[in-house]
Structure formats: structure tokens, C-alpha cells
Amino acid sequence: MTTTPTVVLVHGAFADASSWSGVVTELRGRGIPVVAAANPLRGLASDAAYIAAVASRIDGPVVLVGHSYGGALITVAGTAENVVGLVYVAAYVPDEGESLGELQGRFPLSPLVSNLREGGYPVAGEESAVEVTIAAEKFPEIFAADVPADVTEVLAVSQRPLSTTVFTEAAAAAAWRTKPSWALVAGADQAINPDVERFGAERAGATTVELDGASHAVAVSRPKEVAGLIVDAVTATAA
């Protein structure tokens, strides 16, 4: 009997697991088991360890799906024994030993970088740490230009901040070197330069699709297409 992998969806920065709602509905409608994980957004190594733990608790094979910063996490967490495939959605695809700052530094910076707002937060044993959000007035055009205005207003005020340490931590592993991968490039992404997405996908040898006109919030605006790529990965890795 064929075993259908469980899909674990990993959101990125400035979002939460609800950003996958449309994709979850599509996958469940096709009978695919799915978990939308809560990404702590506190550090690449610790966040990846958390996602690896989520995957390891699942009985059976897992396909990890990462959006944006979540792509870096599945790259590291994907070394978990039961992970059989990786899907990158408008995501970073770092190599082992490479930081996100180094990866995106290969290309012109996106408009996101100049529109981040910093804030401090307490850390045990330290004075403070720094986290960032997107300036609320710039959020629609940078993060979700193809999403209805009433939805982007909610997304803008419900952002989850990202610790700035994630940009300097090096990825401890690159699971795409040993496991099959798929990638979706958002052609009109203003948060991650689409060339960063293309480069990472090509380097990983990922089966890649590109959606012209898609914003960074492609999982919100075009859930059917995102789910379709995930279904391809699930079908290819079912045992």
C-alpha cells in the first residue's frame, strides 16, 4: 500500500501559520495530511531544530514546505530521517555554511530591506536583541501586492517580527543535496529578489515553476498553484 507523506508547512517572517489557510484547504481536499507549523522566528539554528522536531514526531514520511525564511529552515531541518522531499515557496535556499545575508548579498537588495522597522526585545542573560517588521504603510506593495486590500490590512497589523540574528547565522546543513526538491519562484516578489529564489532553486537542482506577477504572499494570493506544486512533490515521494 502506498504511504502518502504528511506535508509540514513552515511560514516565514512577518506572517504566521494562518498564511497557509488556502493551501491547507486545497491539500486536505485532495486527501493529503497536513500540518501548519508555528515558526518561532527567533534564530535559524533554533527554529530549524524546532521544525525538525515537529517532523520527527510524525509517524511516516514528511514533505517539508518552506515559504520565505521558512526555506532556510527546511534546508536544515530536512536532514531529519523521515523527511523525503523539500518544497520552496518564494523562499531562500541556502547552502551549508552560508548565511541568508551572504545568499541575498549576491544580488541587488529588494525594496524590503529599506522598509524594515527595528525594535528591541528582552533575552535571558543579555541586555536585549533586535527584531524587525515591515513598515505597515509599505506592507501591501512589498509583501502582498496581489492580495485584496482588506486582507493586506489585516496581514500588516498582525505581522510576527523576525529576529535579525537569522541573517548572520550560517545554515548547518543543506538537505537539498541529498533529498529531492521543488521550488516556486514568485515573479513579482518585492520582499526577496526573485533572482535569489531562482539562483537557490537552480543550485539545488529543484523542479521549478515560476508564477509571473505573483507577490511574496503567493500562498495567500494563489493557493491552488502553490498546492499543485506540493501535490507534485507528494506524488513523487509517496512510497
Side-chain angles (χ1 to χ4, degrees):
M1 178 179 289
T2 301
T3 301
T4 300
T6 296
V7 172
V8 175
L9 303 168
V10 183
H11 67 83
F14 320 121
D16 59 28
S18 68
S19 61
W20 293 111
S21 295
V23 175
V24 169
T25 298
E26 292 291 328
L27 295 176
R28 285 175 56 84
R30 301 189 192 204
I32 296 173
V34 58
V35 173
N39 179 355
L41 302 176
R42 297 294 84 175
L44 197 158
S46 60
D47 293 345
Y50 178 80
I51 296 303
V54 171
S56 297
R57 290 197 297 265
I58 294 171
D59 184 16
V62 166
V63 169
L64 288 178
V65 181
H67 173 246
S68 190
Y69 163 61
L73 302 188
I74 70 169
T75 295
V76 178
T79 57
E81 186 175 350
N82 64 330
V83 174
V84 295
L86 309 167
V87 182
Y88 295 92
V89 178
Y92 292 109
V93 189
D95 199 356
E96 182 177 355
E98 183 177 54
S99 71
L100 298 188
E102 291 169 337
L103 173 55
Q104 67 180 10
R106 295 170 179 261
F107 302 92
L109 295 176
S110 72
L112 170 73
V113 177
S114 60
N115 287 285
L116 293 174
R117 298 293 179 263
E118 294 186 353
Y121 67 94
V123 177
E126 301 180 23
E127 290 187 7
S128 67
V130 178
E131 62 185 12
V132 289
T133 55
I134 302 171
E137 68 276 10
K138 291 291 187 178
F139 186 94
E141 65 184 86
I142 290 174
F143 198 89
D146 57 350
V147 176
D150 59 335
V151 177
T152 61
E153 289 173 3
V154 175
L155 296 176
V157 300
S158 58
Q159 294 181 59
R160 288 192 55 211
L162 176 71
S163 171
T164 57
T165 62
V166 306
F167 296 107
T168 56
E169 287 187 66
W176 50 260
R177 289 191 170 275
T178 58
K179 297 181 180 181
S181 59
W182 289 258
L184 185 150
V185 174
D189 201 330
Q190 296 294 299
I192 299 177
N193 185 331
D195 284 339
V196 174
E197 299 169 20
R198 295 184 189 106
F199 171 80
E202 182 177 357
R203 181 171 62 177
T207 299
T208 305
V209 299
E210 181 159 346
L211 297 183
D212 293 337
S215 75
H216 192 61
V218 62
V220 178
S221 62
R222 300 173 73 167
K224 290 183 184 294
E225 289 96 328
V226 173
L229 184 62
I230 298 170
V231 169
D232 289 346
V234 168
T235 301
T237 55

